Amino acid sequence: MPHFIRFSGIATVALLAWSSGQAAALHALITDRDRAPMADTVLMLVPTDPSRDAAAAPQAAPQVMDQVKLQFNPQVMVIGKGGQVAFPNSDTVAHQVYSFSTPKRFSLGLYRGLPYAPVVFDQPGLVVLGCNIHDFMLGYVYVAESPYFGKSNERGEVHVADIPAGTYALKAWGPRFKEQEAQVLQQVTLRGDETLDVTLKLDRMLSPLRNPAAKPGKLRY
Amino acid sequence: MGAVSRSLCAGLLLLFTLHVPESHAAGPHEFTAQVDVRLIAADTPLKSFTDGGLGLLLFDESRDVVRLGPVMLDYSGPLTDTIRATVTAFANGDNDKNPIDLTEAVLEWRPVPVSQWRWRARLGAFYPAVSMENRGIGWQSIYSLSPSAINTWIGEEVRTIGGELNLTAAGAGVGRPFDIGAVIGVYGWNDPMGVVIQERGWAVHDRQTALFGRLPDINGLPAADGSFELFREIDGRMGYYAGLEFSWLDRVVARVLHYDNRGDPAQFDQEEYAWLSRFDSFGVRIELPGDWTVIAQRLEGDTAIGPSADGRGSHILDFWSDFLLVSKSIGRHRASARYEQFHTATARGAGFYDSHQSGDAWTLAYRFDLTDSWQLQVEALQIDSALRHRRLQGVQPDAVERSVQLVVRYSLTL
Ligand SMILES: [Cu+2]
């Protein structure tokens, strides 16, 4: 439902000096309606020409989503198709990580430390993670549908480099989105050796974040 | 130190033998040991109910200024991939029948959810989900040392010894901001429930009644020195409870529960009557921006005892209480303030025994988690209450009781 999203429309094209090479880059600033930076937002560039979708994500080393103080850390992660994530538990209490999201259904029996091999995520889309012991624990692995993606930092900034020239749909997803699918923000056309600067204002009602575990104190109920 | 009981020494010994670095924690079996050292100052004209008096504080002026304990031992771990056992024991060091005794022992079945529908079942001896405060290991409040009068009473007289089934439509996995759940419990062995609130009324403290423990008789008579067992079956009738829980983004959690032990007030087993006790509880917890938490709870009910023509009991006591708690956490610090009111009134049979209590209480609490294991708590409590049958013990019905507790708590999870 992309029409829920309006953009500030500030898509400043910063033309850099021509130089050799074909790859472009994207530098985005993601804010909410009040222009406050939005951290933990996944941004993807999906080629509009489906025949170009064949580009496979380079096989990256397994990512790590830790469990610290009854929270997933980081809470949001974006990986490419076929990416792997390890789920160590650094707490003194045991966790039981699971997901029933369509792109990946799995469960890791009750554990502490790191007794399991990394989990492989083959299908694109949002995988919502829970803990079967602590119902309030919530994590997200977004499996990007293209190899060109990034996640915004605390200042709301995302950098995506090494993008082949072409036309892309800019799609975003974050834990405050009401939908579980990435939303198309706009189309961009990138030429080689260009860094595109965009400001993406998510001009719509976002949900508040879920409340993280109460602290301090070892929670059981 | 008075009678530092053997149980406490045993608990401490166990604690120290268990003491290995936390980095060694491995495997899904969790053992938690906790011990308090408490510095207590009390200002009350009354003898504590734990000594057969009608004071509402756990520790009156005659008690030690420095106390070792309680000690809590807790185990929680899987029997299978979806069945988990949890056992909690406390040693209170206060001449209970067993120096260390269980407060909960429960098997919990938690199938891994494959859709938004989340099933949970519990079997054993455990607390029904009434309290919005007692969220820690060992059913301890994470906001203050002593839970509110409502949840103090739950800890004293209420335990599910039976089974519970819970079904929740959980929104997080399907992108919905709220959860709705329903719970139903069936239980026995809770027939004397009601005797404490009838004889002493509401109190504010953190002592939980053990499953096999005994409570001192508090019937207002000068020579009260007997004791009785709370968790027993007398009338052969099962009780039930049913409740609903609503949660919005874990920021607003609301619960209602109807509880009815279906006691037959005419039944007597040579030691204790069966009491017919029922209550409704309403609770809401709101997490506000800036790590502020607000909790409000109300509980109202009645309890009845003795044969009567209509089967409702020859003596009926109404009771009700509510509280408001505001808490703020900053990093490893948490400060909380709570105000509550509580009442009991005899609705039938006052000529025989006129139980009547009216009071309120303020609690100010601060806790500082220095490390994952070491914790400091300070709690100031003022209870202003009138209890009609204090006259039977030759003291004024009205009393203001105050206490300050400074607690150094060591808690280790292996
Ligand atoms: Cu967990």
Side-chain angles (χ1 to χ4, degrees), chain A residues 67 70 72 89 91 93-97 110 130-137:
Chain A
Q67 295 152 71
L70 308 183
F72 289 103
N89 174 3
D91 281 329
V93 301
H95 297 300
Q96 186 174 30
V97 177
L110 206 61
C131 167
N132 196 32
I133 305 303
H134 307 102
D135 292 330
F136 50 82
M137 284 177 66

Side-chain angles (χ1 to χ4, degrees), chain B residues 62-140:
Chain B
S62 72
R63 295 299 190 92
D64 306 313
V65 174
V66 180
R67 278 184 70 84
L68 185 59
V71 170
M72 180 194 75
L73 298 174
D74 180 274
Y75 163 78
S76 187
L79 297 185
T80 74
D81 214 34
T82 57
I83 296 177
R84 189 178 168 83
T86 301
V87 180
T88 309
F90 276 89
N92 288 310
D94 57 3
N95 306 320
D96 200 348
K97 188 177 91 189
N98 307 303
I100 185 160
D101 202 337
L102 299 174
T103 52
E104 290 184 274
V106 59
L107 293 177
E108 186 173 21
W109 179 56
R110 289 178 162 257
V112 178
V114 293
S115 73
Q116 65 165 312
W117 296 100
R118 199 165 65 201
W119 288 96
R120 303 282 190 242
R122 294 195 286 176
L123 194 69
F126 55 92
Y127 287 98
V130 171
S131 177
M132 311 298 283
E133 306 170 283
N134 298 56
R135 308 174 64 195
I137 293 174
W139 199 75
Q140 298 175 102

Side-chain angles (χ1 to χ4, degrees), chain A residues 6-57:
Chain A
R6 310 251 151 61
F7 309 95
S8 61
I10 312 166
T12 323
V13 179
L15 290 169
L16 298 181
W18 297 106
S19 66
S20 59
Q22 295 295 312
L26 181 82
H27 179 193
L29 173 65
I30 304 181
T31 76
D32 67 8
R33 200 169 43 175
D34 304 321
R35 297 182 193 281
M38 294 250 301
D40 275 346
T41 305
V42 172
L43 192 66
M44 291 171 289
L45 293 96
V46 181
T48 52
D49 176 1
S51 66
R52 291 193 53 245
D53 201 24

Side-chain angles (χ1 to χ4, degrees), chain B residues 22-265:
Chain B
E22 290 190 26
S23 57
H24 287 199
H29 299 273
E30 298 162 32
F31 296 90
T32 301
Q34 174 191 298
V35 62
D36 285 5
V37 175
R38 298 193 182 191
L39 209 67
I40 301 155
D43 174 16
T44 170
L46 301 169
K47 211 163 112 177
S48 166
F49 67 93
T50 56
D51 289 333
L54 286 171
L56 306 182
L57 296 176
L58 191 55
F59 307 113
D60 59 27
E61 287 182 350
S62 72
R63 295 299 190 92
D64 306 313
V65 174
V66 180
R67 278 184 70 84
L68 185 59
V71 170
M72 180 194 75
L73 298 174
D74 180 274
Y75 163 78
S76 187
L79 297 185
T80 74
D81 214 34
T82 57
I83 296 177
R84 189 178 168 83
T86 301
V87 180
T88 309
F90 276 89
N92 288 310
D94 57 3
N95 306 320
D96 200 348
K97 188 177 91 189
N98 307 303
I100 185 160
D101 202 337
L102 299 174
T103 52
E104 290 184 274
V106 59
L107 293 177
E108 186 173 21
W109 179 56
R110 289 178 162 257
V112 178
V114 293
S115 73
Q116 65 165 312
W117 296 100
R118 199 165 65 201
W119 288 96
R120 303 282 190 242
R122 294 195 286 176
L123 194 69
F126 55 92
Y127 287 98
V130 171
S131 177
M132 311 298 283
E133 306 170 283
N134 298 56
R135 308 174 64 195
I137 293 174
W139 199 75
Q140 298 175 102
S141 172
I142 62 166
Y143 303 99
S144 54
L145 194 62
S146 310
S148 61
I150 291 174
N151 297 313
T152 296
W153 178 66
I154 297 289
E156 285 182 313
E157 292 212 85
V158 180
R159 216 63 47 88
T160 305
I161 303 178
E164 178 194 271
L165 193 61
N166 183 315
L167 176 63
T168 299
V174 293
R176 191 183 59 232
F178 58 87
D179 305 343
I180 297 180
V183 66
I184 182 156
V186 176
Y187 53 87
W189 299 278
N190 206 7
D191 286 332
M193 167 195 175
V195 57
V196 174
I197 202 152
Q198 198 260 4
E199 292 191 342
R200 184 214 57 205
W202 304 91
V204 181
H205 63 82
D206 66 330
R207 184 188 189 281
Q208 302 173 36
T209 306
L211 292 174
F212 306 101
R214 296 185 77 83
L215 287 173
D217 276 332
I218 330 154
N219 55 16
L221 302 175
D225 57 357
S227 67
F228 66 97
E229 194 184 348
L230 197 57
F231 301 116
R232 49 196 289 163
E233 184 57 45
I234 295 166
D235 57 17
R237 294 213 309 220
M238 304 288 266
Y240 78 96
Y241 57 83
L244 291 173
E245 177 167 320
F246 172 84
S247 164
W248 177 73
L249 294 173
D250 293 336
R251 289 175 179 271
V252 177
V253 179
R255 277 186 201 148
V256 296
L257 189 92
H258 174 71
Y259 189 102
D260 183 346
N261 80 346
R262 294 180 67 248
D264 177 357

Side-chain angles (χ1 to χ4, degrees), chain A residues 30-32 36-41 152-153 155-156 176-177 202 206:
Chain A
I30 304 181
T31 76
D32 67 8
M38 294 250 301
D40 275 346
T41 305
S152 62
N153 60 19
R155 295 183 300 278
R176 290 180 57 193
F177 279 48
L202 303 181
L206 296 164

Side-chain angles (χ1 to χ4, degrees), chain A residues 63-75:
Chain A
Q63 304 287 298
V64 175
M65 183 179 275
D66 203 351
Q67 295 152 71
V68 185
K69 294 189 187 303
L70 308 183
Q71 294 177 42
F72 289 103
N73 185 17
Q75 202 200 8

